[in-house]
Amino acid sequence: NAGVTQTPKFQVLKTGQSMTLQCAQDMNHEYMSWYRQDPGMGLRLIHYSVGAGITDQGEVPNGYNVSRSTTEDFPLRLLSAAPSQTSVYFCASSYIRTGGSYGYTFGSGTRLTVV
Amino acid sequence: GDSVTQMEGPVTLSEEAFLTINCTYTATGYPSLFWYVQYPGEGLQLLLKATKADDKGSNKGFEATYRKETTSFHLEKGSVQVSDSAVYFCALSQIQGAQKLVFGQGTRLTINP
């Protein structure tokens, strides 16, 4: 299994450009989420999804859109890139099973620079 | 809202030294607690977890005990190795296995030979 796959690994954008960060998982996990990692601030939740067709905002959603048309895919769209969105972005998937077992899997990240 | 606070870094130790990275949390109810590790250039990997008070999570020589009375989940290792050099994140989740993790700011650990 590939786990959680993020593309691209690196990206440079100009201010005002739009782009989509891709995230795909092959573990049939119900939940998927996007985080951004900034120095000294840990990881902060941007958006999350509890299943296909259902999304919700996290702690820092402004400037980002998401959709979940399939269980496998959860793309993150930057509508009009700003320098404040320079960060490392991580996608994660997670599950809950009957009996309480659960787990998270993170992708390897996308390093985005907005100039 | 929920929050996690980790000790300030960076932390630099010599090989075979004892490691403690402090983590305290503020949350309602009984969250699950995690330690994640990020090696250079890689994503996050789950190191250990605990789901209820007094649980001890352990993995690769690392341990952490869920202390409800002090709202803490300190990470310890008795003898660190150069290969332990990484960034360590403490995190909590209010709903087991759900989609929302709250992270601390991370602690960069460097182990010198």
Side-chain angles (χ1 to χ4, degrees):
Chain A
N1 286 341
V4 177
T5 302
Q6 288 185 239
T7 56
K9 293 190 180 302
F10 302 94
Q11 183 71 48
V12 179
L13 287 179
K14 294 182 179 180
T15 297
Q17 286 185 314
S18 62
M19 80 159 294
T20 299
L21 307 185
Q22 301 291 344
C23 176
Q25 54 101 358
D26 60 0
M27 298 169 287
N28 202 33
H29 287 176
E30 305 97 307
Y31 305 111
M32 297 186 75
S33 49
W34 277 100
Y35 294 84
R36 59 177 289 173
Q37 181 183 18
D38 301 296
M41 302 187 73
L43 279 77
R44 293 179 292 169
L45 181 65
I46 304 171
H47 285 286
Y48 64 97
S49 169
V50 301
I54 307 171
T55 64
D56 205 347
Q57 297 181 350
E59 180 184 357
V60 288
N62 292 340
Y64 307 95
N65 274 358
V66 291
S67 60
R68 185 105 178 263
S69 57
T70 66
T71 300
E72 294 78 19
D73 299 302
F74 191 46
L76 178 71
R77 298 182 184 84
L78 280 70
L79 308 173
S80 178
S84 60
Q85 294 178 305
T86 294
S87 188
V88 181
Y89 292 84
F90 288 99
C91 180
S93 69
S94 58
Y95 66 87
I96 307 174
R97 295 289 177 255
T98 303
S101 67
Y102 59 94
Y104 292 88
T105 302
F106 282 84
S108 57
T110 295
R111 184 174 295 275
L112 176 67
T113 302
V114 182
V115 298
Chain B
D2 296 344
S3 65
V4 176
T5 302
Q6 291 180 233
M7 66 184 290
E8 293 283 340
V11 174
T12 302
L13 296 172
S14 298
E15 205 166 21
E16 300 184 0
F18 184 86
L19 168 71
T20 299
I21 301 178
N22 290 338
C23 171
T24 57
Y25 68 90
T26 301
T28 56
Y30 299 90
S32 296
L33 301 175
F34 307 83
W35 277 101
Y36 281 87
V37 59
Q38 184 180 32
Y39 298 105
E42 298 185 10
L44 275 73
Q45 301 175 24
L46 177 65
L47 182 60
L48 53 83
K49 65 185 181 186
T51 58
K52 59 183 186 295
D54 299 325
D55 265 2
K56 177 184 283 188
S58 61
N59 186 26
K60 299 181 180 180
F62 291 89
E63 293 183 340
T65 300
Y66 190 144
R67 301 290 188 197
K68 181 68 174 175
E69 65 276 13
T70 55
T71 62
S72 65
F73 194 55
H74 304 321
L75 183 68
E76 296 181 335
K77 186 174 185 182
S79 177
V80 293
Q81 305 300 312
V82 172
S83 57
D84 294 326
S85 298
V87 180
Y88 292 81
F89 293 93
C90 185
L92 68 80
S93 175
Q94 276 289 6
I95 304 173
Q96 286 189 7
Q99 64 284 355
K100 300 167 85 170
L101 283 164
V102 177
F103 286 88
Q105 70 268 38
T107 301
R108 182 175 298 277
L109 173 68
T110 301
I111 306 300
N112 294 321

